[in-house]
Amino acid sequence: MTMTKEEILEVHRFRHATKEFDPSKTISDDDFEFILETGRLSPSSFSTEPWRFVVVQNEQLRNKIKNSSYGAASKLPEASHFVIILARTPLDIRYDSAYLKEQQVRDVPKEYLTRRLEILEEFQRHDFKLLDHERFLTDWAVKQTYIPLANMMTAAAQICIDSCPIEGFDIEKMNQLLDEEGLLEDGHFTISVMIAFGYRKKEPGPKTRRPFDDVVKWVK
């Protein structure tokens, strides 16, 4: 069941930011649940899991997103599936939040809860200084959402499904739209990034990257 190194590299060569999707092709429920599961299983700092994956299949909401995001305009409605990754805000990811206390109780024995949250406070307050400004905690959560983003795109490519990450939107306008749709849960979430999934309409050009030696530096 182990993939060879060349097979793994072929998956990464196959994956590209798909600009146009074939509207006649739809991803099966089983395949898309597999993609979402790889996102759910992704690692996060202190196991906070500061994300939510909103799968938008509703045509009306898709049209609102299309009209509000220049990055999504060419992907909707053609994409088979469209996901908005939300990041949890300081209301949930500050060390003393109810969300983290509930999560920590679920994950570890109660006798370790106090110490674990103390370590998290030390990390947020002193190591990364995330408590110096409210935006810092939000940015910390947003950065982590790119881990499941990458994992889902790679998993999709492994089963020959295309994807495109989307940052082309005004954060305030998109948050306002999502809040009106009741998706931000009274400020507990903010938009991070979006992903379109489907099947390519045409083959892309050759993948280009900077030379290996320009990207990788060894310190021996």
Side-chain angles (χ1 to χ4, degrees):
M1 295 180 66
T2 302
M3 296 176 66
T4 66
K5 287 178 281 188
E6 183 56 31
E7 287 172 333
I8 293 171
L9 288 175
E10 276 303 308
V11 168
H12 287 272
R13 295 185 187 111
F14 171 86
R15 190 218 59 77
H16 74 289
T18 304
K19 305 305 181 187
E20 294 183 86
F21 292 95
D22 185 343
S24 68
K25 296 181 179 179
T26 303
I27 302 170
S28 71
D29 291 344
D30 181 69
D31 282 349
F32 204 69
E33 286 178 8
F34 158 75
I35 292 170
L36 291 170
E37 182 67 356
T38 65
R40 189 183 72 88
L41 294 174
S42 296
S44 60
S45 183
F46 287 88
S47 300
T48 51
E49 300 175 64
W51 47 59
R52 174 165 292 169
F53 312 137
V54 180
V55 185
V56 182
Q57 300 302 85
N58 179 275
E59 185 176 350
Q60 289 183 331
L61 181 52
R62 279 186 168 216
N63 284 331
K64 290 180 182 179
I65 294 169
K66 178 180 179 179
N67 294 331
S68 301
S69 165
Y70 60 89
S74 63
K75 316 300 185 302
L76 292 173
E78 288 77 10
S80 171
H81 288 65
F82 194 81
V83 177
I84 299 174
I85 299 184
L86 303 179
R88 290 186 180 273
T89 68
L91 291 175
D92 285 345
I93 59 170
R94 185 183 156 96
Y95 70 91
D96 54 358
S97 69
Y99 168 76
L100 287 184
K101 289 179 179 179
E102 181 274 333
Q103 185 187 46
Q104 300 292 343
V105 168
R106 188 182 68 236
D107 290 347
V108 299
K110 289 185 178 181
E111 58 265 28
Y112 295 111
L113 171 61
T114 301
R115 180 55 184 153
R116 189 165 179 174
L117 291 178
E118 286 175 350
I119 294 173
L120 179 57
E121 179 184 7
E122 181 75 12
F123 169 79
Q124 292 184 346
R125 188 178 300 281
H126 300 293
D127 296 343
F128 271 39
K129 302 188 184 305
L130 299 176
L131 303 184
D132 287 2
H133 193 285
E134 187 176 84
R135 176 64 187 267
F136 296 165
L137 274 174
T138 300
D139 288 346
W140 178 59
V142 167
K143 285 193 297 184
Q144 293 181 68
T145 67
Y146 281 67
I147 301 173
L149 168 72
N151 285 344
M152 287 191 282
M153 290 192 297
T154 300
Q158 287 179 304
I159 55 176
C160 297
I161 291 173
D162 294 298
S163 62
C164 184
I166 299 169
E167 289 184 319
F169 55 85
D170 182 303
I171 291 178
E172 290 185 4
K173 290 181 179 178
M174 283 300 300
N175 271 340
Q176 181 179 352
L177 169 60
L178 297 175
D179 189 42
E180 290 172 354
E181 296 292 326
L183 296 171
L184 300 186
E185 297 189 6
D186 296 323
H188 284 264
F189 289 96
T190 181
I191 189 169
S192 173
V193 66
M194 305 186 289
I195 330 169
F197 291 95
Y199 295 94
R200 63 190 66 182
K201 193 172 184 178
K202 57 185 178 182
E203 290 301 314
K207 189 183 289 290
T208 59
R209 291 292 188 274
R210 300 186 70 86
F212 185 88
D213 290 339
D214 190 35
V215 174
V216 179
K217 181 178 179 62
W218 291 82
V219 180
K220 296 183 178 180

